[in-house]
Amino acid sequence: MKKIILLNNIAQDILIFRRHLVQYLITQNYMVYVMATDFSSQTKRQIEMLGAIPIGYSLKRGGLNPFYDLKTLWQLIKTFKQIRPNIILSSFAKPVIFGTLAAKIAGVQKVVGMIEGLGYAFTEQPNGQTLKARLIKFIQILLYKLALPQADLVLFLNNDDAKDLLDKYHIKVKRREVLGGIGLDLKEYRFSEFSSSFISFVFIARLLREKGIFEFLKAAEELKKKYPEVIFKVIGSFDIENPGALKKEELQYYIDNNIITYPGFVNNINQWITESSIFVLPSYREGVPRSTQEAMAIGRAIITTDVPGCRETVENGENGFLIPKWDISALVKAMEYFIKNPTEIKRMGFKSYQMALEKFDGNKVNKKLLKLIE
């Protein structure tokens, strides 16, 4: 039986974003090892219930300590030599960098890195990048130049990321491909025609500046004054480690003034989307956002930004609107369009559903991914 290691950051991300892939790989006669940095006894059991083998390792996502990173590299080399996998598939910046280097040193047959978005350091900010962000970007580019040429295949979710990393910084790789999106199990996100008499907008993402949370909140505040019956929902967790994170006290203002509904962390994202009219993600940059794919599969119109990753999810005027990043007035205008033209919610929502069937069916994506790897 062939062995594959999926090297990731966070256990919960594997259970949410990789579960369908894990199950597919098992049907293709792979022994699947899943590596994450924060396994609990519960998440380990959940991975085992999928039929995979969980393995923990140490990695500091935002750390700049080279000695800790070297310790991570050595730990990965030892693990890879013990398991002797046929394939390593790494995701996210640090796992791709150190996983690729460790796999090559350990003599792994096929090494694949999947870059699902260039992340905070490569994302333009309205007030410019901080010194720390510029330093992280500089270090990441150096490490990518060291690691990516060692990979047998480098995968991206959109063309812009490939150009903005490999071409712009002259990083030569053996082979690169664009996957499109990691896909969904469409049985979990079934089409549901919007039928409520109340119009509601939902934002689903980590509560970070680069996800457009501040723009959404300001647009909601402006529209709530004019349309008090319209509902604005925010779904997502706080990320206190991230320098662009929304603070709890900042969100509390909007809750206390009845501008938004915030239920905190939820496990039933599909239900929240189903009970909403329009999905909004004014992000500054993405790979191809999973939450938008989910909203499209359920049949919701989309408002998002004309930036890498997001523009892959909207045909402007067909299934929603693309707006300029950071532009609150354009966001208000797009949201108000649906309030004034509620019949467009169903028309554009159905177009989203058709696009999701074509582009984001997890069964198709998994087959494409395995074909690219093999």
Side-chain angles (χ1 to χ4, degrees):
M1 181 179 281
K2 293 174 288 186
K3 298 177 184 178
I4 185 168
I5 294 177
L6 305 183
L7 182 68
N8 286 260
N9 274 332
I10 301 168
Q12 200 62 42
D13 283 356
I14 299 160
L15 292 165
I16 295 171
F17 304 133
R18 292 283 185 271
R19 184 177 60 186
H20 199 220
L21 175 62
V22 169
Q23 292 170 324
Y24 175 71
L25 289 169
I26 290 169
T27 66
Q28 301 304 301
N29 297 316
Y30 275 93
M31 183 178 290
V32 181
Y33 296 82
V34 172
M35 296 187 66
T37 61
D38 63 343
F39 276 123
S40 64
S41 56
Q42 181 184 2
T43 53
K44 276 190 173 183
R45 280 197 304 273
Q46 289 174 300
I47 293 293
E48 288 166 350
M49 286 172 67
L50 294 177
I53 302 163
I55 299 174
Y57 75 106
S58 300
L59 175 76
K60 286 191 176 178
R61 284 191 296 146
L64 296 174
N65 185 331
F67 298 104
Y68 196 96
D69 290 339
L70 285 171
K71 181 182 175 184
T72 297
L73 180 66
W74 177 243
Q75 185 184 10
L76 290 173
I77 292 168
K78 287 200 300 182
T79 303
F80 296 166
K81 284 185 173 180
Q82 288 170 357
I83 296 173
R84 298 172 66 188
N86 303 89
I87 300 169
I88 298 281
L89 173 59
S90 306
S91 303
F92 303 103
K94 274 199 165 184
V96 166
I97 290 165
F98 294 108
T100 298
L101 293 172
K104 272 300 171 187
I105 294 168
V108 176
Q109 295 172 17
K110 185 157 287 188
V111 183
V112 181
M114 187 190 298
I115 297 174
E116 297 183 41
L118 297 187
Y120 171 75
F122 288 83
T123 302
E124 290 184 37
Q125 302 290 335
N127 299 317
Q129 284 191 318
T130 63
L131 179 61
K132 183 178 180 181
R134 293 199 297 270
L135 177 60
I136 291 171
K137 182 178 180 179
F138 175 76
I139 293 169
Q140 276 192 0
I141 290 167
L142 288 179
L143 291 171
Y144 276 138
K145 285 185 173 183
L146 181 65
L148 295 185
Q150 307 304 317
D152 298 292
L153 170 64
V154 181
L155 290 168
F156 295 88
L157 300 190
N158 66 68
N159 279 302
D160 290 296
D161 284 353
K163 292 174 184 174
D164 290 347
L165 180 62
L166 302 184
D167 297 344
K168 185 174 181 179
Y169 297 103
H170 309 291
I171 302 174
K172 293 184 178 180
V173 296
K174 295 172 186 172
R175 182 177 162 221
R176 75 188 195 189
E177 298 283 352
V178 175
L179 183 63
I182 59 173
L184 306 167
D185 183 349
L186 294 180
K187 294 192 294 293
E188 293 182 14
Y189 300 92
R190 295 182 181 277
F191 173 77
S192 172
E193 189 175 86
F194 175 70
S195 59
S196 173
S197 57
F198 289 98
I199 291 176
S200 60
F201 297 86
V202 63
F203 170 99
I204 301 174
R206 285 183 299 154
L207 304 184
L208 304 176
R209 182 177 297 280
E210 60 262 33
K211 298 295 183 182
I213 180 60
F214 289 98
E215 286 82 357
F216 180 83
L217 291 173
K218 289 173 184 175
E221 184 175 25
E222 185 174 333
L223 287 165
K224 196 73 172 176
K225 296 171 186 174
K226 196 173 179 181
Y227 305 100
E229 74 283 359
V230 174
I231 299 166
F232 301 90
K233 309 172 188 177
V234 171
I235 312 291
S237 56
F238 293 93
D239 188 347
I240 55 173
E241 286 187 35
N242 193 298
L246 176 74
K247 295 180 175 64
K248 291 183 180 180
E249 55 269 26
E250 290 175 311
L251 187 66
Q252 196 62 45
Y253 164 82
Y254 295 91
I255 298 169
D256 292 343
N257 287 279
N258 298 314
I259 296 166
I260 62 147
T261 298
Y262 178 67
F265 178 80
V266 301
N267 290 313
N268 57 338
I269 290 288
N270 49 359
Q271 185 178 337
W272 280 89
I273 297 172
T274 299
E275 293 173 357
S276 303
S277 319
I278 301 104
F279 177 85
V280 184
L281 184 67
S283 178
Y284 303 171
R285 186 179 192 120
E286 296 285 337
V288 174
R290 162 86 176 204
S291 56
T292 313
Q293 295 175 53
E294 293 168 356
M296 292 171 69
I298 290 171
R300 293 298 171 263
I302 308 296
I303 300 173
T304 193
T305 37
D306 189 8
V307 299
C310 292
R311 65 172 66 107
E312 276 72 20
T313 62
V314 167
E315 293 178 10
N316 201 37
E318 292 297 318
N319 73 310
F321 295 109
L322 290 173
I323 61 169
K325 63 185 176 185
W326 315 332
D327 194 332
I328 297 168
S329 61
L331 177 56
V332 168
K333 185 178 177 182
M335 294 167 87
E336 192 170 31
Y337 177 85
F338 287 112
I339 297 171
K340 291 181 175 179
N341 301 276
T343 56
E344 288 285 82
I345 297 171
K346 287 185 180 181
R347 181 185 74 83
M348 292 196 184
F350 188 70
K351 178 63 177 179
S352 278
Y353 168 66
Q354 291 176 313
M355 289 172 64
L357 289 181
E358 181 185 341
K359 297 173 70 174
F360 303 129
D361 181 347
N363 293 316
K364 294 178 183 177
V365 173
N366 289 335
K367 287 176 184 175
K368 180 181 178 181
L369 175 59
L370 190 57
K371 187 176 180 181
L372 289 171
I373 291 171
E374 292 187 333

